[in-house]
Amino acid sequence: MCTTGGEAVPQSEPLIRFNRTTTAHIPADVTLTLTLEQRTRCRLRVMLDDGREAGLFLPRGTVLNHGDGLIAEDGLVARIIAAPEHLSRVESADPLLLARACYHLGNRHVPLQIEPGRLSYRQDQVLDEMVRGLGLEVRLVDAGFEPEAGAYGGQGADHSGHVHEH
């Protein structure tokens, strides 16, 4: 879910203003590397990878994914790159073991990136020990993080509208 807290960009400052997104593969003029948290913000001052300052002025609820494009008011196109983050990665050819890990991590509302034969989550020693206790090996990696959006369309950080008892 898009948040507006943090670094709001003053409208009086002449910055590159990105206000539209695209998933179409159009040639990019520049790249913009952002963490998952930054990719969920709709108002944010950013530094393009070429060193220029810019501002994101996106509709509420916008979530940027690796490879998405941003289009500025002046027509400049930026391609989003998922910044490397400290992740724990589990790989297994046993789908039952991976399903069990997903169940236990999901029960703790941990955002998960699920791919064939592996899953990744933000590195956490307690969670790593739990997953090892299930019989899986955990490797620490620095990689882009794109967790499942979830049944309610969020990125796992905001539970508004999501209420249940455990």
Side-chain angles (χ1 to χ4, degrees):
M1 191 64 50
C2 177
T3 61
T4 58
E7 307 166 36
V9 180
Q11 290 190 354
S12 60
E13 194 169 313
L15 295 175
I16 299 167
R17 296 173 56 95
F18 290 101
N19 59 7
R20 292 186 296 146
T21 63
T22 182
T23 56
H25 190 71
I26 55 177
D29 303 303
V30 67
T31 57
L32 175 58
T33 302
L34 300 171
T35 64
L36 174 63
E37 180 182 336
Q38 292 170 316
R39 289 183 281 127
T40 62
R41 309 255 314 262
C42 59
R43 299 284 185 273
L44 181 67
R45 181 186 299 259
V46 296
M47 184 74 68
L48 299 173
D49 292 344
D50 69 4
R52 291 182 283 172
E53 283 192 298
L56 302 183
F57 298 88
L58 303 171
R60 277 192 171 278
T62 300
V63 176
L64 299 170
N65 294 303
H66 180 83
D68 286 353
L70 290 173
I71 303 173
E73 291 173 339
D74 65 1
L76 184 78
V77 176
R79 183 77 47 220
I80 298 297
I81 296 175
E85 300 188 47
H86 300 303
L87 303 177
S88 293
R89 180 162 289 161
V90 177
E91 297 184 26
S92 177
D94 184 339
L96 180 59
L97 276 177
L98 288 177
R100 288 183 68 219
C102 288
Y103 171 82
H104 288 286
L105 291 164
N107 197 39
R108 287 159 180 77
H109 300 274
V110 174
L112 291 174
Q113 182 172 330
I114 303 170
E115 301 169 277
R118 76 177 179 194
L119 61 99
S120 302
Y121 54 93
R122 286 192 180 110
Q123 199 280 319
D124 178 288
Q125 289 180 336
V126 173
L127 296 175
D128 292 348
E129 285 305 312
M130 179 192 73
V131 170
R132 286 184 187 107
L134 295 171
L136 291 160
E137 183 180 327
V138 177
R139 279 189 313 122
L140 303 182
V141 299
D142 285 333
F145 187 46
E146 294 197 85
E148 292 292 312
Y152 301 101
Q155 287 289 338
D158 179 8
H159 295 297
S160 58
H162 174 110
V163 178
H164 64 257
E165 293 181 20
H166 289 273

